[in-house]
Amino acid sequence: MGNCIPVSPRVLESSISLDLSEIMGNFSYDSSTTFPDYDAAPCHNKYCPLFQRVAPTFLAITCAMAALSTGSLLVALAKRPHAWGWPQSQALVAQLAVGTGLFAALLPSVAVGIGQGWRLGTGLCRLTHLLWHWSLFAQGLLVCSGSCSTVWCRWDPRSRRLAVAVWAGALLLSIPAALASGTVVGPETSCIRQNVDILSPVYLLHLGLCLCLFLLLPVGLLVAMVAVPQLRARWEPGISVSWLFFGLWVPYGVGLAVDFLLHTRLLQPTCGTFEHFDHVLGLSEGLGVLHCCLGPAALLAARLCRHRAGTSGSC
């Protein structure tokens, strides 16, 4: 969703790293920029040229794989709707497929925006971030609710009310991401997430929500599974498959936390940090993006394995 644009040394001094959330078009560093204050040696950040070469192709391939895996999952749901039992119930899997489908549908515009500059305006930039995070929050809440209860076993009034609450709540939680994003004019217009100060209330709220989704929620669920015998007794291999979502996004959550500490100078950056942290954070978000193709494929593979084993889930 954007390009790396050169910024002044003053901005560089307060903006040490770039994440792949900022990668969707970002305030970053020109590859020729040197930063002599760390370790008394010139520091060169070469992330942007690499990102602009690799990201569009990566997102295009991921989108194609996501379309194939999500389509196959939806076909399997439609052809044998009653074959999906706990913990991979039809109601839960169908909603997860909608979430990954929504996420993947945004990838083409993101890829084009990175390769050719963002030409869709500020409003659509913010809408893209809104939908992007809506899908992520919805999937996280669905995995959480599916791990803690059997509410998705049946599509009844109770599960319908929960579905409305999950999707409405996820939409509400994604609003700060939209408010913190926007466009910036450089050599090419970029659509960026962090279009506000790092300490602004809207960005801090957005960051806090992301850390809750990518870090606190999975850690809290794991602790609950260990501490509460009833939850531990209900744990099945099928639940682990849906937890692939958290497994792919946890590294990015850690990266976001470190990125904030570097921006605020609570962690003192070094020349090596300046040169390499962007790559680490970019790779971590790239790993998370893969959930839209690996998640549906894993759910489908788990169901096929259970079918061949002659077992079926029950609530």
Side-chain angles (χ1 to χ4, degrees):
M1 220 173 346
N3 307 294
C4 297
I5 58 175
V7 295
S8 68
R10 181 184 64 81
V11 176
L12 280 176
E13 194 158 339
S14 63
S15 301
I16 303 305
S17 64
L18 166 72
D19 61 87
L20 200 120
S21 64
E22 294 174 341
I23 53 183
M24 305 307 170
N26 193 2
F27 297 116
S28 183
Y29 324 105
D30 181 67
S31 59
S32 63
T33 301
T34 61
F35 198 77
D37 293 342
Y38 299 127
D39 298 341
C43 299
H44 302 265
N45 188 304
K46 299 180 180 180
Y47 177 74
C48 286
L50 176 64
F51 166 69
Q52 288 183 300
R53 289 196 307 269
V54 173
T57 302
F58 167 74
L59 294 177
I61 294 174
T62 301
C63 182
M65 294 173 59
L68 179 62
S69 60
T70 302
S72 300
L73 181 60
L74 291 173
V75 169
L77 282 169
K79 294 184 76 171
R80 300 196 63 186
H82 300 295
W84 298 79
W86 174 257
Q88 297 168 345
S89 64
Q90 183 189 14
L92 177 61
V93 172
Q95 291 181 86
L96 289 173
V98 170
T100 56
L102 175 61
F103 186 92
L106 300 170
L107 297 183
S109 63
V110 172
V112 172
I114 293 171
Q116 301 181 9
W118 186 262
R119 302 176 183 178
L120 302 178
T122 299
L124 287 177
C125 172
R126 290 179 174 174
L127 178 62
T128 300
H129 285 295
L130 179 76
L131 297 178
W132 181 283
H133 289 87
W134 186 25
S135 69
L136 291 179
F137 280 110
Q139 291 174 75
L141 294 175
L142 287 168
V143 172
C144 176
S145 60
S147 301
C148 295
S149 72
T150 59
V151 67
W152 298 118
C153 284
R154 298 174 182 83
W155 190 239
D156 54 20
R158 181 188 175 203
S159 59
R160 292 190 188 98
R161 287 193 297 270
L162 180 58
V164 171
V166 164
W167 286 93
L171 181 61
L172 182 65
L173 295 175
S174 64
I175 291 176
L179 296 177
S181 65
T183 56
V184 63
V185 178
E188 291 182 342
T189 301
S190 300
C191 173
I192 64 172
R193 174 189 293 181
Q194 190 185 327
N195 200 27
V196 295
D197 184 78
I198 191 100
L199 295 178
S200 67
V202 67
Y203 182 74
L204 290 177
L205 178 58
H206 163 65
L207 177 65
L209 292 172
C210 286
L211 294 182
C212 286
L213 175 66
F214 299 139
L215 289 180
L216 298 183
L217 185 59
V219 170
L221 285 174
L222 285 175
V223 171
M225 290 290 179
V226 173
V228 181
Q230 294 88 342
L231 293 178
R232 189 166 62 250
R234 283 206 301 261
W235 185 271
E236 292 191 26
I239 294 179
S240 302
V241 174
S242 62
W243 267 65
L244 179 65
F245 173 84
F246 287 131
L248 293 174
W249 279 106
V250 162
Y252 178 62
V254 174
L256 277 181
V258 175
D259 182 57
F260 177 77
L261 295 176
L262 289 172
H263 272 87
T264 56
R265 296 303 184 95
L266 296 175
L267 285 179
Q268 289 301 315
T270 64
C271 187
T273 303
F274 175 78
E275 292 179 340
H276 303 302
F277 183 68
D278 290 349
H279 296 80
V280 173
L281 198 50
L283 287 173
S284 69
E285 189 166 4
L287 181 66
V289 168
L290 290 175
H291 87 276
C292 65
C293 56
L294 298 182
L299 288 169
L300 185 59
R303 176 50 52 188
L304 290 175
C305 288
R306 293 192 67 165
H307 175 70
R308 290 179 179 178
T311 62
S312 61
S314 59
C315 297

